[in-house]
């Protein structure tokens, strides 16, 4: 396995485990921020009094995606993270605020997509010595 490929794959994999997992967990703790403020007014109106419970479900999903990425479902988790981040960016744009965060999330979505594509390369049979270095589920 090419060391350059490994040196790109592992940091992305760790980042997309830690980031979503910690953000998801913090939906319950509110130590980093009040996550409910990032929900668009349109979504809040549709959800009615269920905005906060919805954000808790979002937190569980984010933690699950983080766990997928660090275990044997890296590729699937990274694709889900990529789509998820685009949806978050669209939600943020509809708030009329947080355009900087939306831009960052688009960049993260592209990085998650890159992780999924790198994982595809690592799964090919012609890439030797890499699969054994993956974290088992």
């Amino acid at each position: 396995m090419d060391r350059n490929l490994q040196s790109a794959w592992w940091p992305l994999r760790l980042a997309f485990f830690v980031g979503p997992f910690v953000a998801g967990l913090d939906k319950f703790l509110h130590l980093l921020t009040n996550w409910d403020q990032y929900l668009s007014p349109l979504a809040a109106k549709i959800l009615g009094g269920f905005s906060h419970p919805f954000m808790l479900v979002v937190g569980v999903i984010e933690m699950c995606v983080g766990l997928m990425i660090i275990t044997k479902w890296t590729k699937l988790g990274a694709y889900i993270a990529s789509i998820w981040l685009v949806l978050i960016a669209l939600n943020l744009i509809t708030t009329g605020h947080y355009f900087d965060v939306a831009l960052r999330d688009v960049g993260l979505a592209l990085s998650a997509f890159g992780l999924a594509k790198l994982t595809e390369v690592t799964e090919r049979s012609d890439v030797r010595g890499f699969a054994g270095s993956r974290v088992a589920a």
Side-chain angles (χ1 to χ4, degrees), residues 92-114:
L92 291 169
I93 290 168
T94 64
T95 67
H97 306 287
Y98 312 115
F99 297 116
D100 56 332
V101 180
L103 179 61
R104 181 215 54 205
D105 284 349
V106 170
L108 286 171
L110 293 171
S111 298
F113 183 77

Side-chain angles (χ1 to χ4, degrees), residues 29-128:
L29 304 174
H30 289 280
L31 297 174
L32 299 174
T33 190
N34 174 9
W35 295 95
D36 297 344
Q37 72 182 339
Y38 295 109
L39 192 61
S40 78
L42 175 62
K45 184 177 179 179
I46 292 169
L47 293 167
F50 295 101
S51 293
H52 183 69
F54 173 77
M55 292 304 285
L56 296 178
V57 170
V58 166
V60 170
I61 293 169
E62 289 172 341
M63 288 187 288
C64 289
V65 167
L67 289 171
M68 288 175 74
I69 288 171
I70 202 63
T71 60
K72 67 180 180 179
W73 298 288
T74 302
K75 180 174 66 172
L76 177 60
Y79 279 127
I80 292 170
S82 182
I83 293 166
W84 191 260
L85 285 157
V86 168
L87 293 174
I88 291 171
L90 291 173
N91 169 74
L92 291 169
I93 290 168
T94 64
T95 67
H97 306 287
Y98 312 115
F99 297 116
D100 56 332
V101 180
L103 179 61
R104 181 215 54 205
D105 284 349
V106 170
L108 286 171
L110 293 171
S111 298
F113 183 77
L115 173 60
K117 294 312 241 178
L118 279 173
T119 303
E120 285 181 13
V121 170
T122 67
E123 292 174 348
R124 292 187 192 144
S125 61
D126 60 329
V127 178
R128 308 249 185 257

